[in-house]
Amino acid sequence: AQSVTQLDSHVSVSEGTPVLLRCNYSSSYSPSLFWYVQHPNKGLQLLLKYTSAATLVKGINGFEAEFKKSETSFHLTKPSAHMSDAAEYFCVVSTTTSGTYKYIFGTGTRLKVLA
Amino acid sequence: EPEVTQTPSHQVTQMGQEVILRCVPISNHLYFYWYRQILGQKVEFLVSFYNNEISEKSEIFDDQFSVERPDGSNFTLKIRSTKLEDSAMYFCASGGRVSGNQPQHFGDGTRLSIL
């Protein structure tokens, strides 16, 4: 069965410093992986997706993620945190059963950005 | 940019009552989903819907739950005889103009509170 594990439930960074949110996946075949962000009282917004085209994936708002098969990782990074990045981030794997797809979510990482 | 819209944003209901959560998916999408997030827990898959029928449902999606696409634009989740443990944020998503592995687009959610 496919799954994702987010290694940190909370991450705090200072504004202007790099962000690293860690995600490891488990999959018996090449996975489709996503990062979503959830701001308070809002829905889930797609940041970026990996679907085997390129290992380094660029997303919105300066975020990017690198797919590393040898490490089964898909960590999310940003060079310089902004106050508006404070939110909850979800690593997601898309899994299929007989041609239908569904998302399996990680437990989420709450990012706090300090002034 | 097209959005998934959900109504109401917050629903308060007495235990034992029926509720209907409404969603308007993105118009040219073919695949529809409901997920829920109990406070403090991860987002969980409930059901997927394609071609006017359920594609897959989770163990959570028992006979208490049903989904319907009554008029070609709305996608509803009905919960009969609500229980306290049904209190959660319910997210609708749509995706897959071509295949089910396209990114899913989420609404802002309906917060369901059962008293």
Side-chain angles (χ1 to χ4, degrees), chain B residues 50-65:
Chain B
Y50 170 69
N51 200 25
N52 284 319
E53 60 183 25
I54 290 174
S55 305
E56 185 177 352
K57 56 185 181 180
S58 71
E59 293 176 353
I60 303 166
F61 196 91
D62 59 19
D63 292 343
Q64 183 194 7
F65 295 87

Side-chain angles (χ1 to χ4, degrees), chain A residues 4 32 34 36 38 41-46 49 51 88 90 94-97 99-107, chain B residues 31 33 35 37 41-45 48 55-58 89 91 99-109 111:
Chain A
V4 287
S32 293
F34 307 82
Y36 281 80
Q38 183 181 27
N41 301 313
K42 298 294 286 183
L44 296 151
Q45 182 185 17
L46 177 68
K49 61 178 180 179
T51 53
E88 185 139 25
F90 293 95
S94 177
T95 183
T96 178
T97 306
T100 63
Y101 292 88
K102 66 183 180 186
Y103 277 359
I104 304 296
F105 282 77
T107 49
Chain B
Y31 297 80
Y33 310 84
Y35 294 82
Q37 184 181 29
Q41 298 184 24
K42 63 196 294 185
V43 180
E44 304 171 286
F45 168 79
S48 59
S55 305
E56 185 177 352
K57 56 185 181 180
S58 71
M89 180 74 89
F91 291 105
S99 78
N101 200 24
Q102 295 292 309
Q104 296 177 22
H105 298 260
F106 288 80
D108 284 349
R111 182 170 300 282

Side-chain angles (χ1 to χ4, degrees), chain B residues 2-47:
Chain B
E3 292 183 342
V4 175
T5 56
Q6 290 186 242
T7 55
S9 57
H10 193 186
Q11 173 81 45
V12 181
T13 301
Q14 291 289 329
M15 185 172 57
Q17 297 296 305
E18 174 182 287
V19 296
I20 297 177
L21 309 183
R22 304 182 190 279
C23 170
V24 179
I26 294 173
S27 63
N28 61 353
H29 282 181
L30 303 175
Y31 297 80
F32 313 109
Y33 310 84
W34 284 100
Y35 294 82
R36 80 173 184 189
Q37 184 181 29
I38 294 173
L39 187 64
Q41 298 184 24
K42 63 196 294 185
V43 180
E44 304 171 286
F45 168 79
L46 289 178
V47 66

Side-chain angles (χ1 to χ4, degrees), chain A residues 35 41 60 68-69 85:
Chain A
W35 276 98
N41 301 313
I60 62 171
K68 291 188 177 180
K69 186 175 180 180
D85 295 328

